[in-house]
Structure formats: C-alpha cells, structure tokens
Amino acid sequence: MANLGTRIYTHFKGRLVGRDADGRPYYEARTPNRTGGGEKRHERWVIYHKGEDASAVPPEWWGWLHHMENAPLPESARQPWQQPWQPNQTGTVAAYHPPGSDLRGGQRASTTSDYEAWYPEG
C-alpha cells in the first residue's frame, strides 16, 4: 500500500499503464530519467496491496516492470505449465520442507547406490 509520498509522486510524475488480474496498478514515469549507464528510460513501479511483498507481481508484469519487455504480456500468453501465483511461504507453516528435513521428521529414504564411505585407518 502506498504511503503519502508515493501517492503524491505517482499523481504528478506517473501515468497508469494498466492493472493486473488482482487489481494492482502499474505506473510509468511520464518523462525518462538517466540511468547509471547514461541511457534514458522511464521509471516503472507498482502499488502493492496492503501486506504484500514483491513476490506478488505476476509473471505477465514482471518482465515489463524490470525493463525486459516493452509491454506487459497478455494473460492469454500464459503457458499451461505455469502455476497461479502464491504468496511467499517461507517462514510459515505452509513452507516447503524437503524429505529428510528436520521439520519433516529427519528421515531420509535409504539410498540404493554402490557408494561406500571411506574411513581412515587407525
């Protein structure tokens, strides 16, 4: 959620480019700024919903926001193998814990390889 300074900056400097499926607005500066490399390009930003982090940006907008695409990809361009966005689960009960993790009991599946551990003589 934008603070007062971001709202004022957006009002005077930004132009609305579009909104994603969840209603987050995406803006681009009306005039280009110089980058560290000397080139001019338009600054781009998103206004998040309250409590969201940067992982909330859908793939359709991520490339545009990071100046990799000139326009956001249409949602129809999503591939069947792409999963819908989920919030970052790190640090929550829903976080992924691989088999063998202490948080899943610490038991790994036994291996079937021919590996033999080396032990020093003595």
Side-chain angles (χ1 to χ4, degrees), residues 39-60:
E39 66 179 294
K40 285 187 170 186
R41 68 180 186 184
H42 295 271
E43 180 184 10
R44 297 172 177 175
W45 65 95
V46 59
I47 305 294
Y48 296 104
H49 297 307
K50 187 174 185 176
E52 286 184 330
D53 62 12
S55 70
V57 175
E60 294 83 22

Side-chain angles (χ1 to χ4, degrees), residues 24-44:
R24 287 177 215 89
Y26 292 82
Y27 294 92
E28 186 172 61
R30 292 181 184 146
T31 57
N33 298 331
R34 285 205 185 276
T35 64
E39 66 179 294
K40 285 187 170 186
R41 68 180 186 184
H42 295 271
E43 180 184 10
R44 297 172 177 175

Side-chain angles (χ1 to χ4, degrees), residues 40-118:
K40 285 187 170 186
R41 68 180 186 184
H42 295 271
E43 180 184 10
R44 297 172 177 175
W45 65 95
V46 59
I47 305 294
Y48 296 104
H49 297 307
K50 187 174 185 176
E52 286 184 330
D53 62 12
S55 70
V57 175
E60 294 83 22
W61 286 92
W62 193 92
W64 175 84
L65 195 59
H66 292 87
H67 296 277
M68 297 174 70
E69 305 289 339
N70 291 329
L73 295 174
E75 289 186 43
S76 61
R78 285 186 70 92
Q79 301 298 318
W81 48 264
Q82 290 178 303
Q83 296 182 1
W85 175 82
Q86 293 181 350
N88 187 342
Q89 301 295 317
T90 303
T92 69
V93 176
Y96 173 73
H97 302 293
S101 167
D102 286 339
L103 296 171
R104 285 186 72 183
Q107 298 293 322
R108 286 187 344 148
S110 59
T111 182
T112 57
S113 69
D114 57 358
Y115 174 80
E116 294 182 24
W118 175 84

